[in-house]
């Protein structure tokens, strides 16, 4: 019974600004979707969501994977799929892409064809189109290949660097779900209204990426953390924060985090913080009573068969 795991992701820098051509930096993180498959009766079962029936909004993702694989390689018999994911859903962490990538990987193992990571990416990206309008491919790319990804104007570049070893990422789920499309549209409207002021905000956000890459190269978590706060300030200026988001950021900083910011579309979703490993337990203890909180490390491997 082949099983695969694939990582979720966070956006370290540049969300929203990337929509207007500035660069952004994403990172695959150690929260995983695990998917096992075997020949059976065509049942899809998620440990979080229960049985996924044909009328479920989640069904099209799996259906598209199976029809795409069938077209490419032939999928002789019905398969059962079992999903177990620790990636929070609808929070901007790419849970559907991770499930799509892990499902594709396990199915290709099951049918025993030879395949590359690029094949997994293509099939999972096709499946993402069945559930998201116009997916950028960022989530699928990070889930497939892992690591750090610089992207700009639809172009992806894997960055062969590692985050400083003495820090972890702490991820707090605000529990506020929002519609990415609506937030993106409102941010773009505000940018237009702001005119040249908006242009400066976007330029500043773009130049954060160069500084962030320098900080990563120099293995300097303090420099990286300040840039996260500045990036959050720019997102705040564009109306992307929320009261609970800012409360959580202050609590993270008060408990010892070096820096923190919204990650993804904002107005809720997740907050990410950079925390020295020696202080992670303290931060976790202080916030876990009231929030859903995860300690994560970068994942530099992407999808793998277990
Ligand atoms: O919350 P997420 O991971 O779906 O990220 C949205 C990122 C935006 O920059 C706000 C939109 C986009 O398509 O890049």
């Amino acid at each position: 019974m082949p099983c695969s795991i694939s990582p979720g992701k966070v956006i370290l820098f540049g969300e929203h600004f990337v929509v207007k051509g500035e660069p952004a930096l994403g990172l695959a993180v150690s929260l995983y979707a695990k998917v096992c498959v075997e020949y059976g009766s065509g049942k899809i079962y998620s440990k979080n969501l229960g049985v996924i029936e044909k009328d479920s909004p989640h069904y099209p993702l799996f259906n598209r994977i199976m029809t795409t694989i069938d077209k490419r390689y032939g999928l002789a018999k019905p398969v059962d799929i079992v999903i177990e994911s620790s990636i929070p859903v609808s929070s901007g962490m790419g849970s559907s892409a991770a499930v799509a990538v892990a499902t594709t990987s396990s199915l290709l193992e099951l049918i025993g064809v030879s395949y590359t990571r690029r094949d997994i990416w293509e099939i999972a990206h096709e499946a993402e189109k069945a559930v998201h309008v116009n997916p950028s491919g960022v989530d699928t790319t990070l889930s497939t290949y892992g690591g750090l990804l610089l992207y700009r104007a639809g172009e992806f570049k894997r960055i062969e660097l590692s985050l400083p070893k003495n820090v972890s990422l702490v991820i707090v789920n605000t529990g506020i779900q929002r519609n990415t499309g609506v937030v993106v549209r409102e941010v773009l409207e505000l940018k237009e209204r702001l005119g040249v002021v908006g242009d400066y905000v976007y330029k500043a956000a773009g130049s954060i990426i160069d500084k962030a890459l320098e900080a990563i190269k120099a293995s300097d978590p303090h420099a990286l953390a300040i840039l996260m706060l500045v990036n959050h300030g720019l997102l705040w200026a564009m109306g992307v924060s929320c009261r609970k988001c800012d409360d959580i950021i202050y609590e993270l900083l008060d408990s010892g985090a070096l820096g923190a910011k919204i990650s993804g579309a904002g107005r809720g979703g997740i907050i990410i913080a950079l925390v020295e490993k020696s202080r992670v337990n303290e931060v976790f203890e202080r916030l876990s009573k009231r929030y859903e909180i995860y300690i994560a490390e970068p994942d530099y491997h992407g999808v793998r068969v277990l």
Side-chain angles (χ1 to χ4, degrees), residues 9 11 15-16 18-19 91-93 136 139 178 180 184 263-265:
K9 71 99 184 28
I11 300 179
E15 53 276 90
H16 284 290
V18 72
V19 175
S91 60
M93 290 198 66
S136 65
D139 294 5
R178 70 285 176 261
T180 299
V184 167
S263 174

Side-chain angles (χ1 to χ4, degrees), residues 6 49 104 125 142 144 163 206 240 254 261 267 300:
S6 335
L49 305 168
T104 304
H125 186 56
L142 281 164
T144 305
L163 285 199
V240 168
D254 288 346
K261 67 182 273 292
R267 300 242 180 102
Y300 297 108

Side-chain angles (χ1 to χ4, degrees), residues 142-188:
L142 281 164
S143 210
T144 305
Y145 297 96
L148 273 167
L149 186 74
L150 183 68
Y151 55 105
R152 180 182 206 154
E155 304 250 316
F156 302 143
K157 187 172 164 218
R158 197 170 189 277
I159 302 288
E160 302 300 334
L161 292 172
S162 307
L163 285 199
K165 302 264 181 296
N166 59 339
V167 283
S168 295
L169 273 177
V170 169
I171 300 168
V172 183
N173 190 357
T174 62
I176 304 171
Q177 296 191 354
R178 70 285 176 261
N179 181 319
T180 299
V182 172
V183 187
V184 167
R185 197 187 62 230
E186 290 179 8
V187 168
L188 291 174

Side-chain angles (χ1 to χ4, degrees), residues 27-274:
L27 176 73
V29 294
S30 62
L31 300 184
Y32 297 97
K34 177 180 169 196
V35 180
C36 301
V37 301
E38 63 185 340
Y39 290 117
S41 58
K43 191 169 149 193
I44 306 173
Y45 177 73
S46 152
K47 295 206 170 153
N48 295 329
L49 305 168
V51 177
I52 296 177
E53 307 281 4
K54 287 207 162 104
D55 58 358
S56 155
H58 302 286
Y59 184 77
L61 184 83
F62 299 98
N63 191 45
R64 185 69 69 87
I65 293 172
M66 289 186 285
T67 51
T68 310
I69 290 183
D70 194 30
K71 251 188 248 154
R72 283 186 173 218
Y73 307 98
L75 189 60
K77 292 181 263 175
V79 287
D80 291 340
I81 301 174
V82 179
I83 306 117
E84 195 177 346
S85 174
S86 60
I87 306 168
V89 292
S90 304
S91 60
M93 290 198 66
S95 84
S96 72
V99 169
V101 168
T103 304
T104 304
S105 162
S106 292
L107 283 171
L108 293 178
E109 277 292 311
L110 181 73
I111 61 178
V113 290
S114 77
Y115 61 91
T116 61
R117 272 178 200 261
R118 177 74 200 179
D119 295 316
I120 297 178
W121 184 90
E122 284 172 8
I123 296 163
H125 186 56
E126 194 52 41
E128 278 280 277
K129 289 186 200 159
V131 289
H132 292 301
V133 187
N134 210 0
S136 65
V138 168
D139 294 5
T140 312
T141 306
L142 281 164
S143 210
T144 305
Y145 297 96
L148 273 167
L149 186 74
L150 183 68
Y151 55 105
R152 180 182 206 154
E155 304 250 316
F156 302 143
K157 187 172 164 218
R158 197 170 189 277
I159 302 288
E160 302 300 334
L161 292 172
S162 307
L163 285 199
K165 302 264 181 296
N166 59 339
V167 283
S168 295
L169 273 177
V170 169
I171 300 168
V172 183
N173 190 357
T174 62
I176 304 171
Q177 296 191 354
R178 70 285 176 261
N179 181 319
T180 299
V182 172
V183 187
V184 167
R185 197 187 62 230
E186 290 179 8
V187 168
L188 291 174
E189 282 166 8
L190 179 59
K191 179 183 188 294
E192 286 315 303
R193 282 213 304 281
L194 288 173
V196 70
V197 173
D199 295 342
Y200 281 125
V201 171
Y202 275 62
K203 281 263 163 308
S207 51
I208 284 180
I209 303 290
D210 300 331
K211 286 269 172 205
L213 289 173
E214 278 172 27
I216 293 171
K217 259 184 218 144
S219 214
D220 182 348
H222 293 273
L224 211 49
I226 290 169
L227 293 169
M228 286 169 81
L229 289 169
V230 175
N231 194 152
H232 182 74
L234 298 175
L235 288 167
W236 193 99
M238 297 310 296
V240 168
S241 196
C242 67
R243 189 175 285 267
K244 189 172 182 186
C245 303
D246 289 334
D247 285 346
I248 291 173
I249 290 176
Y250 280 121
E251 285 184 60
L252 283 161
L253 296 173
D254 288 346
S255 347
L258 299 176
K261 67 182 273 292
I262 268 178
S263 174
R267 300 242 180 102
I270 56 159
I271 307 295
I272 58 171
L274 207 59

